[in-house]
């Protein structure tokens, strides 16, 4: 009876996100896969499997694996010191720095591609390295976009890590290095694994970066699916690669879930940031390297946006109220900004709602193996959008949503829904480790002391979840502001978002349009940074309130 | 204890649902925009991302016809065509514009379009799609993909700019060319077809020489022109780029263009419009095609979409007449042949330039 009730609860919590993901992810993806398997009305799996034996597919797979792996490693190497410095040390401007480091995550890839090209190109400041168009440039680009994920996810965990075990170890004579390797890192392992798996999946499905930074000499699974679908209409091959992608993602998620398992309920105490000590210098140095690495392309963009015909000028920014030269745009950039904000609000609440429910479902203590398995499977299920080609989803939405009573292809909500699905895994990954870290005994204690369910929620869960929830909201909002792949596929002409107009501007000749694209990118980056700053402020304010 | 977990979960669900409804009101996308079918009859134009027409013209059209024109951009010419093919049983609009001669025969073969033969303006018949016996597609605009040179760059170095495809493999022009790839961009595909038209079976050898001479490939036109070309927005370092015959009209400074198109390296592109088979509003779709062929739209095409009108009876903008001379001769490949060989050519090209 109780078991049944528990399962019912589980189902009730899971139903909204499962239906949403089913409708907007599973149905479209299977719709596309079906088109690959069924040729002229005949089920033909042989042809799909044959694709997997092509040597080119093997090359593509290998390249995807090692470039994503290298980029994940680089993001961790650069992100971990910054997570420590920006979340544990009392550094001036650390809130600003945290916000700034998130900016790359939302910049349109085309624009970053242009900035990187100017940096790495033959005549650029780093041209002597000869990296333009190389796989190194791709890895640098992938890590550039994703290092903020590491800082966010690991930094959040680091902040709420109880400092006392480390202090105790130090008091017992452990060197800082020993404290790090024997106390701190093991405690952070779930967060690190979580961040690494998200980053790896982002990198492995990083479509725009590979296309714009690597030129065409290197193909990843994602760009290959794009080529096969949009250019060759070879749906069998695309289906084969999509299935392969699904399998790999599932395996990866299973492995990372195992590694991530939270060791028992740990009480979380938010440590006060402490003053910088001499022993922190290596960490600060590594963070400085990261700032240069992330800052250089952004500085290139800002400088470019401030130049008109070789002179310093704000002309590009003034032009944002116009539709560009030669009517590059249908609506001014300022209108697109308003559209972006509206879409982002919708995408944010959807992602938070779905992500919050999912995080709750997957982190409740399970009784019995079946239930644990079920929760594990659900957890992995909601991570799938990270690893599946946006091209497949986009085309799938087109071919499957046109039927039925409502033609969802026409709905203005389609864009925010698609963006929410992109942000969903991120929200889940931000919330789940925190929710999972709450000791269930605290809730039991509260209940035993007479607190009702609501009071238990507000006194036990909420104080701990509050900050990550805000961080997740900001993150989802920022992701939505910058999302381009799905948006460009689904957005309507009269209501473009900022990345869509930037793409249009950069795709039209004329120096003014190019300048406007840079200016719009800087505005997008600035808005994102401000959003994240606001979240940082709220977080600081909420520390004392609970 | 179990009960309390259950109850708490229920409360959480309730809160979440409440939050949804409250927050939903905060955004306009969520609330006010679902007007559904408006009073005016709707006609949906599916097109590529570069589609753009002056607002006045569209407003005029809507007023005159009582139609509500909804424009839906759907990627580049290739993506657009494939979307149309994938959704042919349940079309995403009433009329499509932007399928070009490199993709047209795929759309014809798949039965995407319905017949419609509008009255063509003078000159337009020259651009009709070969093999389109059923009047499925109507030519709307034309342009040519050509190599562009930065004339000043060559003048400064006392070097004669290249003129032909052969010149590009000369050591004098080493490391000077940047072009978008055939697999990921439609001008890139046009250039691949140019070399196929010029060299036939020998195109692969030509590409080997081209790559050996330091040609750089980018994924799209923007990266090539805006970031790598010396006259693009981004202070690039390569003075030779693949673009359009109209591009020199956009690099005018002090009355002269700083760039020019190499008119011996051009591939003719024609963009077509067609009524979608199974459209909700086929009558409106036909009116949209008539609209695209009207003098007003034809005259607006250069400034709005950087292409030449198919109509011979409208005037070109002054800068175009002066700085964007059209090639006398363009390279061409039969659309049916393109359709048949596209996959094989692209695969071979990909293997040739990759790694």
């Amino acid at each position: 009876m109780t078991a049944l009730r528990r399962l019912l609860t589980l189902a009730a919590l899971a139903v909204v996100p499962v239906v949403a993901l089913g409708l907007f992810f599973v149905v479209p993806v299977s719709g596309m896969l079906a088109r690959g398997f069924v040729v002229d009305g005949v089920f033909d799996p042989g042809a799909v499997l044959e694709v997997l034996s092509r040597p080119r597919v093997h090359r593509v797979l290998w390249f995807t694996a090692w470039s994503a792996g290298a980029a994940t490693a680089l993001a961790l190497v650069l992100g971990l010191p910054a997570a420590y410095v920006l979340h544990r040390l009392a550094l001036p401007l650390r809130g600003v720095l945290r916000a700034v480091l998130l900016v790359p995550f939302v910049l349109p890839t085309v624009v970053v591609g242009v900035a990187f090209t100017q940096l790495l190109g033959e005549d650029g400041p780093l041209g002597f390295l000869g990296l333009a168009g190389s796989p190194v440039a791709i890895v640098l680009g992938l890590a550039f976009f994703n290092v903020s994920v590491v800082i966010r996810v690991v930094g959040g965990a680091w902040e709420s890590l109880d400092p006392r075990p480390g202090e105790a170890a130090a008091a017992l004579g452990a060197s800082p290095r020993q404290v790090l390797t024997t106390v701190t890192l093991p405690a952070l392992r779930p967060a690190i694994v979580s961040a690494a798996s998200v980053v790896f999946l982002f990198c492995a499905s990083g479509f725009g970066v590979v296309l714009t930074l690597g030129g065409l000499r290197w193909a990843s699974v994602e760009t290959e699916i794009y080529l096969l679908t949009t250019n060759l209409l070879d749906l069998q091959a695309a289906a084969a690669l999509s299935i392969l992608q699904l399998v790999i993602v599932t395996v990866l998620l299973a492995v990372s879930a195992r590694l991530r398992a939270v060791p028992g309920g740990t009480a979380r105490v938010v440590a006060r940031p402490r003053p910088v000590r001499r022993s922190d210098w290596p960490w600060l140095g590594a963070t400085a390297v990261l700032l240069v690495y992330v800052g250089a392309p952004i500085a290139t963009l800002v400088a470019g946006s401030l130049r008109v015909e070789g002179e310093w000028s704000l002309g590009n920014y003034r032009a944002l109220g116009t539709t560009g030269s030669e009517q590059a745009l249908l609506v001014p950039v300022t209108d697109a900004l308003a559209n972006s904000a509206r879409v982002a609000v919708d995408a944010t609440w959807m992602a938070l709602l779905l992500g919050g429910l999912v995080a709750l479902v997957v982190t409740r203590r399970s009784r019995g193996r079946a239930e644990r398995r079920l929760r594990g499977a659900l957890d992995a299920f909601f991570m799938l959008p990270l690893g599946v080609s946006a091209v497949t989803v986009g085309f799938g939405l087109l071919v499957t949503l046109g039927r039925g009573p409502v033609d969802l292809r026409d709905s203005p909500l389609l864009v925010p829904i698609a963006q929410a699905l992109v942000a969903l895994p991120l929200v889940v990954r931000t919330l789940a480790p925190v929710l999972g870290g709450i000791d269930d005994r605290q809730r039991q204690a509260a209940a035993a002391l007479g607190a009702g369910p609501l009071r238990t929620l507000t006194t036990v869960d909420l104080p701990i979840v509050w900050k990550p929830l805000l961080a997740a909201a900001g993150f989802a909002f920022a992701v939505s502001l910058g999302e381009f792949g799905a948006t460009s596929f689904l957005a309507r002409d009269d209501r473009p978002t900022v990345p869509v107009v930037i793409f249009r501007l950069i795709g039209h000749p004329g120096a003014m349009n190019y300048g406007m694209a840079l200016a719009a990118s800087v505005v997008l980056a600035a808005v994102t940074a401000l959003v994240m700053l606001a979240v940082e402020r709220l977080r600081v304010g909420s520390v004392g309130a609970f | 204890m179990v009960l309390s977990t259950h109850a708490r979960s229920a409360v959480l669900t309730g809160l979440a649902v409440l939050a949804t409804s409250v927050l939903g009101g905060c955004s306009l996308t969520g609330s006010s925009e679902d007007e559904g079918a408006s009073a005016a009859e709707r006609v949906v134009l599916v097109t590529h991302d570069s589609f753009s027409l002056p607002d006045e013209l569209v407003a005029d059209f809507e007023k005159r016809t009582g139609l509500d024109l909804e424009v839906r951009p759907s990627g580049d010419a290739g993506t657009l065509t494939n979307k149309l093919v994938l959704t042919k049983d349940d079309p995403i609009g009433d009329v499509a514009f932007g399928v070009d001669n490199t993709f047209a025969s795929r759309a014809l073969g798949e039965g995407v379009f319905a017949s419609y033969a509008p009255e063509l303006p003078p000159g337009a018949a020259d651009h009709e799609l070969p093999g389109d016996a059923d009047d499925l597609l109507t030519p709307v605009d034309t342009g040519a993909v050509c190599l562009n040179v930065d004339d000043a760059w060559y003048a400064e170095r006392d070097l004669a700019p290249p003129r032909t495809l052969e010149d590009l493999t000369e050591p004098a022009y080493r490391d000077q060319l940047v072009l978008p790839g055939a697999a990921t961009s439609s001008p890139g595909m046009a250039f691949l077809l140019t070399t196929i038209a010029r060299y036939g079976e020998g195109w692969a050898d030509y590409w080997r020489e081209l790559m050996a001479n330091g040609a750089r490939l980018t994924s799209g036109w923007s990266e090539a022109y805006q970031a790598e070309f010396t006259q693009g927005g981004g202070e690039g370092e390569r003075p030779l780029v693949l673009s359009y015959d109209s591009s020199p009209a956009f690099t005018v400074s002090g009355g002269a263009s700083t760039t020019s198109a190499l008119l011996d390296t051009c591939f003719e592109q024609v963009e077509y419009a067609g009524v979608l088979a199974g459209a909700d509003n086929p009558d409106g779709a036909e009116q949209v095609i008539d609209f695209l062929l009207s003098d007003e739209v034809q005259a607006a095409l250069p400034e709005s979409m950087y292409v030449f009108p198919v109509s011979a009876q409208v005037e070109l903008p002054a800068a175009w007449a002066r700085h964007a001379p059209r090639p006398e001769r363009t390279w061409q490949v039969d659309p049916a042949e393109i359709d048949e060989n596209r996959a094989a050519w692209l695969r071979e090209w990909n293997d040739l330039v990759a790694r």
Side-chain angles (χ1 to χ4, degrees), chain A residues 502-523:
Chain A
I502 290 172
F503 186 73
R504 263 186 95 96
L505 283 168
I506 211 164
H508 285 66
M512 179 189 173
N513 290 335
Y514 180 75
M516 277 173 72
L518 296 187
S521 302
V522 173
V523 170

Side-chain angles (χ1 to χ4, degrees), chain A residues 122 230-231 346 410 504 508, chain B residues 27 29 49 51 82 183 216 306:
Chain A
E122 284 151 24
T230 66
N231 225 318
D346 281 328
D410 281 355
R504 263 186 95 96
H508 285 66
Chain B
S27 149
T29 5
D49 289 336
F51 180 84
N82 292 339
R216 174 173 296 166
Y306 324 109

Side-chain angles (χ1 to χ4, degrees), chain A residues 145-309:
Chain A
F145 279 98
N146 288 299
V147 77
S148 58
V149 178
V150 176
I151 299 177
R152 279 282 137 190
V153 176
V154 180
W158 213 322
E159 200 167 42
S160 49
L161 197 66
D162 189 345
R164 286 168 302 187
E167 285 160 11
L172 291 172
S175 68
R177 188 197 177 85
Q178 280 170 322
V179 173
L180 180 72
T181 52
T182 59
V183 180
T184 313
L185 284 182
L188 287 176
R189 196 190 68 192
I192 294 175
V193 171
S194 201
S197 57
V198 173
V199 169
F200 185 87
L201 289 179
F202 272 136
C203 292
S205 60
F207 170 67
V209 179
V210 179
L211 266 191
T212 55
L213 289 178
L216 297 162
R217 299 170 74 81
W218 306 92
S220 66
V221 172
E222 189 83 2
T223 62
E224 192 70 4
I225 292 177
Y226 172 82
L227 169 68
L228 290 166
T229 313
T230 66
N231 225 318
L232 300 179
L233 208 63
D234 184 350
L235 296 184
Q236 292 192 317
L241 282 178
S242 298
I243 285 178
L244 203 60
Q245 215 178 18
L246 267 173
V247 170
I248 293 171
V249 170
T250 311
V251 169
L252 259 175
L253 290 176
V255 171
S256 78
R258 210 162 255 270
L259 292 172
R260 203 167 52 220
V262 183
T266 44
R268 287 183 186 248
V269 185
V270 172
R272 287 198 153 279
R274 59 170 182 74
V276 178
R277 290 189 209 127
R278 184 184 288 267
S279 60
D280 293 325
W281 281 112
W283 300 84
L284 287 169
T287 308
V289 170
L290 173 68
L291 283 173
V292 171
Y293 165 53
V294 170
I298 297 179
T300 312
L301 280 185
V302 175
S305 75
L306 289 169
R307 292 185 76 81
V308 176
E309 289 175 15

